[in-house]
Amino acid sequence: MSQRFYSTKSPDQFVDIKEAVLRSLPADNGLYMPESIERLGHGFWESWRDLSLADIGVHVAKAIFRDSIPADELEKITRESANFPAPLVTVKEKAHVLELFHGPTLAFKDFGARFMARLMGWLTRDDDGLLTVLVATSGDTGGAVASAFHGIPGTRVIILYPKGKVSGLQEKQLTTLGGNITALEITGTFDDCQRLVKSAFLKREMSENLNLTSANSINISRLVPQSFYYFEAAKNLPEGVKPTFVIPSGNFGNLTAGLLAEKLGLEVEHFVAATNRNDVVPEYLREGEYRPRPSVATISNAMDVGAPSNFARLEEIFGYEWEAMKARVAGYAYGDKITRETIRRIKSETDYTLEPHGAIGWLAAEAWRESHPEAHTVVLETAHPSKFLDVMEEELGAGEVEIPGRLACLADRQKSAIQMGTKEGEFHDWLSSIRE
Ligand SMILES: *Cc1c(COP(=O)(O)O)cnc(C)c1O
């Protein structure tokens, strides 16, 4: 049987995997969800603790996508995407960290982007012409998407980034790959980049001619591989211990993936969502009112989100009942000052290096263990500290953070980007000119 997908706004209309993945966002502005998610079978639970991360991924992907993709192709896509480890580190008694930054661009987004790229490549294998992936980035997403699609046959990626507003190494991640990856350096803000991307999708003819698709984080195919590592963490805890997952959150895709893992049968003690000052969801959990608002800038900038895009999925999962969500998910929020103090304190107490997003998770985990002393908390460390070198060096001193070779080596690479203004006309003309 194939899996079908519905929009959270039209639960009785279904699309197939190709439509859900390539369209990303339904026309009614809802979000795609799988029609049914069932508990993994006996065979899996008999041996899951002995399986590798990729083996677990093969079972999970099959349970979600079913026969929408031939089993051998799905297995190949899964193994090629989850091909780096997600180690669980016990930093203090009952205080664990799940390191999700061992992929090519040093953030958890590699899991989702690599899976999506390969899946899109497969779904369009017999189509005429190239699939053109458009993505606007303020930093992390663009790098993960560029690296994931680099060399995938039948695809090309166009990344729009704001000139002077991404870090030097982040810019190199976007502009040095070449091949099927093109970077546009926009003399404007991230919002301008996002507006330009949207304007291209609204031009129906252009969108169809270029076979445009989006790689944004609400794509259902990015969430599925993010549920793999919840099983990986749980299997590495002592037998009988149920994890409390603490998730540094922005658009809440990672938390949604954890809830997906639970629906597949993983036993989880509790979920804790941790945010910076952009605390729309913790506020909702506390007060029952959802008030999206413009984001404010913080040092944990990948979580500077004022209107979390996956909130619609959280509501759907909890049947639009505040009490139900509140009973399963706790929310905590922290400012920059205490985040910085925590990076210093944990380094000196334990010698473990947390970056700003993970430090916010650590604070929430401490708060949770305070009121639940039996809990084993697992903080998802979403990026490598070297991606936030300025903050890290301010707190820990210069040279204290090791820069992994795959990031350091970008420094000497030649940047190649096309300069462009913020006018839609200019962007559309350029897009029309690249048609083969
Ligand atoms: C994207 C990102 C987040 C936020 O994840 P969501 O799934 O959007 O909640 C947190 N930390 C880092 C480092 C990120 O890149």
Side-chain angles (χ1 to χ4, degrees):
M1 219 176 61
S2 295
Q3 178 69 274
R4 301 193 300 174
F5 299 85
Y6 66 94
S7 161
T8 50
K9 290 211 174 137
S10 324
D12 48 2
Q13 287 173 33
F14 298 95
V15 299
D16 66 5
I17 186 174
K18 186 164 179 180
E19 170 110 9
V21 170
L22 296 183
R23 197 193 258 253
S24 201
L25 196 66
D28 63 11
N29 245 322
L31 292 180
Y32 285 120
M33 290 286 279
E35 179 183 11
S36 80
I37 304 171
E38 276 161 32
R39 203 183 137 79
L40 286 155
H42 281 300
F44 175 78
W45 296 111
E46 267 164 25
S47 65
W48 71 287
R49 285 176 169 272
D50 301 323
L51 300 182
S52 69
L53 174 65
D55 292 338
I56 289 171
V58 170
H59 286 271
V60 169
K62 174 79 186 165
I64 299 283
F65 293 113
R66 304 187 179 173
D67 299 331
S68 300
I69 316 231
D72 55 337
E73 294 294 341
L74 188 58
E75 170 159 358
K76 186 160 164 256
I77 290 168
T78 303
R79 291 194 186 281
E80 284 178 12
S81 0
N83 67 344
F84 53 91
L88 185 73
V89 179
T90 300
V91 177
K92 276 170 69 166
E93 206 199 337
K94 295 185 183 161
H96 316 273
V97 172
L98 182 65
E99 295 185 345
L100 300 177
F101 51 72
H102 294 279
T105 71
L106 307 164
F108 81 88
K109 290 190 171 72
D110 284 325
F111 282 99
R114 291 174 67 75
F115 189 91
M116 176 177 62
R118 285 163 179 78
L119 184 57
M120 283 184 170
W122 189 80
L123 289 171
T124 56
R125 70 204 176 283
D126 295 328
D127 294 0
D128 294 332
L130 290 173
L131 179 72
T132 305
V133 181
L134 267 191
V135 60
T137 187
S138 56
D140 269 355
T141 299
V145 168
S147 156
F149 278 90
H150 189 223
I152 300 276
T155 70
R156 81 177 139 208
V157 177
I158 297 164
I159 303 172
L160 287 74
Y161 72 97
K163 184 181 173 78
K165 296 195 173 60
V166 304
S167 79
L169 284 177
Q170 271 178 335
E171 183 175 39
K172 294 281 172 119
Q173 285 185 323
L174 308 172
T175 59
T176 59
L177 287 171
N180 61 334
I181 312 295
T182 304
L184 300 185
E185 185 174 12
I186 306 293
T187 49
T189 61
F190 171 63
D191 291 336
D192 288 316
C193 297
Q194 216 159 21
R195 176 175 52 79
L196 289 173
V197 165
K198 277 200 184 132
S199 75
F201 281 100
L202 291 174
K203 288 234 156 192
R204 181 109 177 244
E205 202 188 313
M206 179 180 313
S207 168
E208 279 171 12
N209 283 344
L210 284 169
N211 218 349
L212 283 188
T213 192
S214 137
N216 56 25
S217 66
I218 52 170
N219 196 296
I220 184 73
S221 68
R222 277 179 65 168
L223 291 187
V224 173
Q226 287 174 218
S227 59
F228 302 169
Y229 45 70
Y230 285 87
F231 292 85
E232 175 75 5
K235 95 178 188 205
N236 285 317
L237 288 172
E239 212 160 339
V241 171
K242 284 197 250 172
T244 293
F245 286 110
V246 186
I247 304 147
S249 294
N251 273 317
F252 286 77
N254 233 347
L255 174 61
T256 307
L259 295 167
L260 216 63
E262 187 175 43
K263 281 197 178 294
L264 290 164
L266 182 67
E267 290 196 45
V268 176
E269 188 67 40
H270 211 73
F271 290 96
V272 177
T275 72
N276 57 31
R277 282 210 294 133
N278 297 285
D279 62 346
V280 178
V281 172
E283 180 186 271
Y284 169 77
L285 292 166
R286 203 169 56 238
E287 299 175 14
E289 294 258 359
Y290 182 62
R291 299 187 205 96
R293 48 189 172 252
S295 64
V296 294
T298 74
I299 56 167
S300 47
N301 56 24
M303 308 198 297
D304 292 351
V305 179
S309 56
N310 278 292
F311 189 72
R313 285 199 174 104
L314 298 182
E315 284 194 295
E316 176 75 16
I317 288 170
F318 289 106
Y320 299 87
E321 284 185 26
W322 171 60
E323 280 88 359
M325 198 188 301
K326 196 176 140 80
R328 207 64 203 108
V329 183
Y332 294 92
Y334 300 94
D336 282 353
K337 186 158 174 282
I338 191 164
T339 305
R340 287 179 181 274
E341 284 165 14
T342 304
I343 292 170
R344 282 203 306 275
R345 174 167 63 87
I346 300 313
K347 178 73 182 178
S348 86
E349 281 177 16
T350 70
D351 203 33
Y352 192 79
T353 306
L354 291 163
E355 55 70 58
H357 306 77
I360 284 179
W362 184 275
L363 281 162
E366 282 183 340
W368 183 259
R369 289 198 310 275
E370 184 95 26
S371 51
H372 301 79
E374 294 308 310
H376 277 252
T377 53
V378 176
V379 173
L380 273 53
E381 180 46 290
T382 47
H384 190 277
S386 63
K387 290 199 97 170
F388 304 93
L389 206 56
D390 293 357
V391 175
M392 298 308 298
E393 293 198 330
E394 279 159 27
E395 299 314 315
L396 302 182
E400 284 298 311
V401 171
E402 155 251 3
I403 304 179
R406 60 197 181 286
L407 192 59
C409 75
L410 293 177
D412 306 325
R413 295 253 189 94
Q414 194 62 36
K415 159 185 162 183
S416 160
I418 295 169
Q419 309 279 324
M420 202 171 287
T422 59
K423 291 212 177 67
E424 287 172 17
E426 185 185 359
F427 178 53
H428 295 176
D429 287 347
W430 180 81
L431 275 178
S432 305
S433 76
I434 62 167
R435 258 199 96 185
E436 334 107 281

